[in-house]
Amino acid sequence: DAKTTQPPSMDCAEGRAANLPCNHSTISGNEYVYWYRQIHSQGPQYIIHGLKNNETNEMASLIITEDRKSSTLILPHATLRDTAVYYCIVRVRGTTDSWGKLQFGAGTQVVVTP
Amino acid sequence: SAVISQKPSRDICQRGTSLTIQCQVDSQVTMMFWYRQQPGQSLTLIATANQGSEATYESGFVIDKFPISRPNLTFSTLTVSNMSPEDSSIYLCSVGRDSNSPLHFGNGTRLTVT
């Protein structure tokens, strides 16, 4: 699976948008970009995923570059509860015979400050 | 998303003993995965658990140390055998409904081996 590169940490002001970058320059055509976050002492929480189009849900937006070599997770209005480690993961598209695994990197520690 | 319950939520165990961790899901899921998160580290995939077949282990993990059962589509167990202090970690269960659905995580079992 393709590896991802994320900054180790980011600070963000409460109420502002948080833009989290991720590089995945070796991504293949059959690999999705997934984002999870892990708040202290909890299991990872699914945020969003995409293949090549931009995606938006109630939690965040995912912007994937046209060449798919990088992506940005956008938290539109960060709150103190968004403080967490955010993981960008490339996952192979599954088939009926095999499942794409989630292999976690180091992630980005995001701290939202008042 | 599925509701995932892990038991116990935490335990303190003696060196040389074994602990069995349970993962119960409130709906049928096709695939279950077991992860380990060592202190201050990211998640590492231990194995993939299919119902009715042997678990598939990642490099560095063996069945004798981490036997897994998957008796039905809503339940799995992971045993940490012959424990040493190096096994002190959070062990997490993850589930997916089908090959292209997001995976969801339980809140983990925090294990301390003394």
Side-chain angles (χ1 to χ4, degrees), chain A residues 1-9 21-24 34-38 44 84-91 101-109, chain B residues 35-38 40-45 92 105:
Chain A
D1 294 350
K3 296 249 193 307
T4 62
T5 303
Q6 300 177 253
S9 64
C22 179
N23 286 324
H24 30 78
Y34 275 76
W35 284 84
Y36 281 78
R37 72 180 183 184
Q38 188 174 26
V85 178
Y86 286 76
Y87 297 98
C88 169
I89 304 166
V90 171
R91 182 189 184 197
K101 303 172 191 174
L102 284 180
Q103 304 278 20
F104 285 75
T108 297
Q109 172 67 64
Chain B
Y35 285 82
R36 180 176 75 181
Q37 188 170 29
Q38 294 176 299
Q41 303 293 314
S42 185
L43 284 77
T44 301
L45 180 63
L92 298 113
F105 288 78

Side-chain angles (χ1 to χ4, degrees), chain B residues 22-38:
Chain B
Q22 299 179 0
C23 179
Q24 178 74 55
V25 191
D26 68 342
S27 58
Q28 293 185 344
V29 293
T30 303
M31 201 69 81
M32 296 177 100
F33 300 86
W34 286 97
Y35 285 82
R36 180 176 75 181
Q37 188 170 29
Q38 294 176 299

Side-chain angles (χ1 to χ4, degrees), chain B residues 60-78:
Chain B
F61 297 95
V62 295
I63 187 171
D64 290 346
K65 176 67 176 177
F66 298 102
I68 289 171
S69 77
R70 179 79 196 274
N72 58 51
L73 292 175
T74 64
F75 187 77
S76 178
T77 66
L78 169 77

Side-chain angles (χ1 to χ4, degrees), chain A residues 32 34 36 38 40-46 49 87 91-96 98-106, chain B residues 30-31 33 35 37 41-43 45 48 58 92 94-108 110:
Chain A
Y32 286 88
Y34 275 76
Y36 281 78
Q38 188 174 26
H40 184 62
S41 297
Q42 297 181 19
Q45 177 188 22
Y46 165 75
H49 74 284
Y87 297 98
R91 182 189 184 197
V92 172
R93 185 201 300 254
T95 66
T96 53
S98 67
W99 278 53
K101 303 172 191 174
L102 284 180
Q103 304 278 20
F104 285 75
Chain B
T30 303
M31 201 69 81
F33 300 86
Y35 285 82
Q37 188 170 29
Q41 303 293 314
S42 185
L43 284 77
L45 180 63
T48 303
E58 297 298 302
L92 298 113
S94 174
V95 306
R97 293 189 190 281
D98 58 59
S99 60
N100 282 309
S101 294
L103 300 184
H104 297 281
F105 288 78
N107 278 330
R110 186 179 297 270

Side-chain angles (χ1 to χ4, degrees), chain A residues 36-113:
Chain A
Y36 281 78
R37 72 180 183 184
Q38 188 174 26
I39 297 169
H40 184 62
S41 297
Q42 297 181 19
Q45 177 188 22
Y46 165 75
I47 301 173
I48 199 168
H49 74 284
L51 185 64
K52 55 184 178 182
N53 298 320
N54 298 337
E55 302 287 344
T56 295
N57 62 21
E58 65 278 4
M59 290 183 67
S61 295
L62 174 60
I63 308 298
I64 303 174
T65 58
E66 191 169 346
D67 63 7
R68 302 207 325 122
K69 293 183 185 300
S70 65
S71 60
T72 301
L73 180 74
I74 301 172
L75 307 177
H77 305 287
T79 71
L80 299 181
R81 288 177 295 180
D82 291 323
T83 292
V85 178
Y86 286 76
Y87 297 98
C88 169
I89 304 166
V90 171
R91 182 189 184 197
V92 172
R93 185 201 300 254
T95 66
T96 53
D97 298 322
S98 67
W99 278 53
K101 303 172 191 174
L102 284 180
Q103 304 278 20
F104 285 75
T108 297
Q109 172 67 64
V110 173
V111 176
V112 181
T113 55

